[in-house]
């Protein structure tokens, strides 16, 4: 989820002259593929490895994009937002790590409740698609991003 918020932030802050929305769409498409199906929650080591491949590909895509297309100030802002997320992601995707084992221990429960959370993920996905849509003006991206952040906060703090 944090990945998508960072993605939206990058989009709202603008692009360098030699960068295109299509590059962001490709990064986002990788995560959309991960979210397909009845439940994107991996419950086995094999599923976890497959999910991590998608996550790492999307993360690398975004890192490449931000290195190429954003200013040093925007990259610094993204570093503040992301904190130690990359280290946590690496731990999550490392076979045998404590984080991965702990996740897999509870994955069945997460997969079981995912269907009731799926509409939130779909709404979130649609908003990201709207942000990267070529027809969306730069003026419209910031309010869409604000709405997205509010929905995320509502999902996490108000509804639970």
């Amino acid at each position: 989820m944090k990945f998508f918020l960072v993605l939206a932030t990058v989009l709202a802050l603008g692009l360098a002259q030699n960068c295109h929305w299509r590059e962001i769409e490709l990064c986002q498409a990788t995560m959309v593929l991960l979210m397909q199906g009845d439940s994107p929650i991996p419950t086995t080591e094999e599923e976890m490895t497959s999910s991590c491949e998608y996550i790492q590909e999307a993360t690398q895509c975004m890192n490449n994009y931000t290195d190429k297309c954003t200013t040093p100030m925007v990259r610094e802002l993204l570093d503040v937002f992301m904190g130690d997320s990359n280290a946590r992601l690496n731990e999550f995707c490392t076979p045998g790590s404590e984080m991965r084992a702990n996740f897999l221990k509870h994955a069945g429960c997460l997969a079981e409740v995912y269907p009731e959370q799926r509409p939130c993920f779909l709404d979130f996905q649609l908003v990201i698609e709207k942000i990267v849509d070529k027809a969306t003006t730069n003026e419209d991206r910031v309010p869409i991003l604000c709405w997205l952040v509010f929905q995320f906060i509502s999902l996490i703090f108000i509804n639970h």
Side-chain angles (χ1 to χ4, degrees), residues 15 19-27 29 65 132 134:
L15 301 174
C19 295
H20 304 282
W21 292 110
R22 187 75 188 131
E23 295 171 68
I24 289 289
E25 290 172 0
L26 293 173
C27 295
Y65 181 82
V132 299
K134 292 175 189 157

Side-chain angles (χ1 to χ4, degrees), residues 32-147:
V32 170
L33 287 173
L34 176 64
M35 300 304 289
Q36 299 301 309
D38 294 333
S39 176
I41 309 295
T43 57
T44 66
E45 277 290 339
E46 295 78 24
E47 290 173 355
M48 186 77 139
T49 298
S50 177
S51 293
C52 282
E53 288 172 3
Y54 283 105
I55 293 167
Q56 290 168 331
E57 181 180 333
T59 301
Q60 187 59 51
C61 181
M62 279 306 302
N63 289 340
N64 293 342
Y65 181 82
T66 56
D67 287 347
K68 174 184 164 194
C69 299
T70 61
T71 64
M73 186 171 87
V74 170
R75 285 192 294 276
E76 190 173 319
L77 178 62
L78 291 173
D79 285 342
V80 169
F81 274 114
M82 293 302 291
D84 64 347
S85 294
N86 286 336
R88 291 183 182 271
L89 177 62
N90 287 336
E91 183 182 358
F92 181 78
C93 289
T94 300
S97 72
E98 182 179 344
M99 179 186 284
R100 185 170 174 141
N102 203 21
F103 177 85
L104 286 171
K105 184 167 75 173
H106 301 287
C109 177
L110 293 170
E112 199 173 298
V113 298
Y114 175 77
E116 63 193 58
Q117 298 302 317
R118 185 173 174 81
C120 295
F121 283 99
L122 293 176
D123 288 348
F124 201 74
Q125 180 181 331
L126 290 172
V127 170
I128 294 297
E129 289 173 7
K130 180 69 174 168
I131 289 172
V132 299
D133 188 333
K134 292 175 189 157
T136 303
T137 66
N138 286 335
E139 286 179 357
D140 290 337
R141 285 188 175 93
V142 173
I144 292 169
L145 174 63
C146 289
W147 182 87

